[in-house]
Amino acid sequence: MKCLVLENKKCTITSGYGQRKLNGKYDYHYGIDIVMEGYKLDYIIAHSDGIVVNLVDNKINNKGSGSYGNYVKIKHKSGYSTLYAHMATGLLVKIGEKVCKGQRIGYMSDSGDAYGKHLHFEVYFKNNPINPLNVFNKEIGEIKETI
C-alpha cells in the first residue's frame, strides 16, 4: 500500500483504527500501526507541512504502560494534527520547528507500550481523533472533514 508517512512510501497496516482485541482485552485504537512492506523498518516522514508542537524522546520499551514512547506531534493547517509514536530514541526534529512534507522526523522502533517495532500513526481534526485512513494518501489541504 502507498503511504505518505514512510520514506520508502510503501507500507503494510498491521493494526487498524477502532475497537480491537489485544492480549485478551478490548480497547479502542486511535491510530493505525504501520511497517514498511515486507515487515521492514523505515524512516518516518512528515505527512504534510506543519509545526512540531510536542514530542518525547529518550523513552524505552515499556509494555503495558499505555505510553506512546518516543513520539512527535505536528500541527497542520485547517485544524489537523498528526502524531507519530513508538519511535527510536534520537528524534530528528525539535518543538517549534517547521517541517516540510516528506521531511524525516525519526525512525521506527518499539518505545513505550509496543509489542514489536512499528509506527503508530494518529490523525486529529479540531482535536478529535479521526480514522487515519481518511487522510493517509491525501494532502491535508485536500481533505474536507466536519465535526
Side-chain angles (χ1 to χ4, degrees), residues 70-88:
N70 302 315
Y71 73 89
V72 172
K73 187 170 186 179
I74 300 173
K75 182 179 177 184
H76 306 283
K77 61 184 173 181
S78 304
Y80 287 90
S81 58
T82 51
L83 184 134
Y84 311 78
H86 304 310
M87 298 166 72

Side-chain angles (χ1 to χ4, degrees), residues 26-90:
Y26 286 96
D27 74 351
Y28 200 87
H29 196 226
Y30 289 99
I32 56 176
D33 293 341
I34 305 163
V35 293
M36 189 171 85
E37 271 186 352
Y39 291 83
K40 296 179 183 173
L41 303 181
D42 197 8
Y43 280 99
I44 299 162
I45 59 175
H47 178 281
S48 300
D49 295 348
I51 296 174
V52 177
V53 293
N54 202 358
L55 63 77
V56 169
D57 204 349
N58 295 315
K59 292 283 186 178
I60 60 169
N61 185 275
N62 190 7
K63 292 179 183 169
S65 67
S67 168
Y68 286 128
N70 302 315
Y71 73 89
V72 172
K73 187 170 186 179
I74 300 173
K75 182 179 177 184
H76 306 283
K77 61 184 173 181
S78 304
Y80 287 90
S81 58
T82 51
L83 184 134
Y84 311 78
H86 304 310
M87 298 166 72
T89 296

Side-chain angles (χ1 to χ4, degrees), residues 8 10 28 33 39 48 52 59 62 90 96 105 123 126 133 140 142 144:
N8 180 277
K10 296 178 183 173
Y28 200 87
D33 293 341
Y39 291 83
S48 300
V52 177
K59 292 283 186 178
N62 190 7
I105 59 174
V123 178
K126 296 183 180 177
L133 291 178
I140 292 288
E142 296 174 358
K144 307 289 186 240

Side-chain angles (χ1 to χ4, degrees), residues 4 47-48 133-143:
L4 296 177
H47 178 281
S48 300
L133 291 178
N134 294 345
V135 302
F136 202 51
N137 290 307
K138 298 177 183 175
E139 289 293 322
I140 292 288
E142 296 174 358
I143 303 154

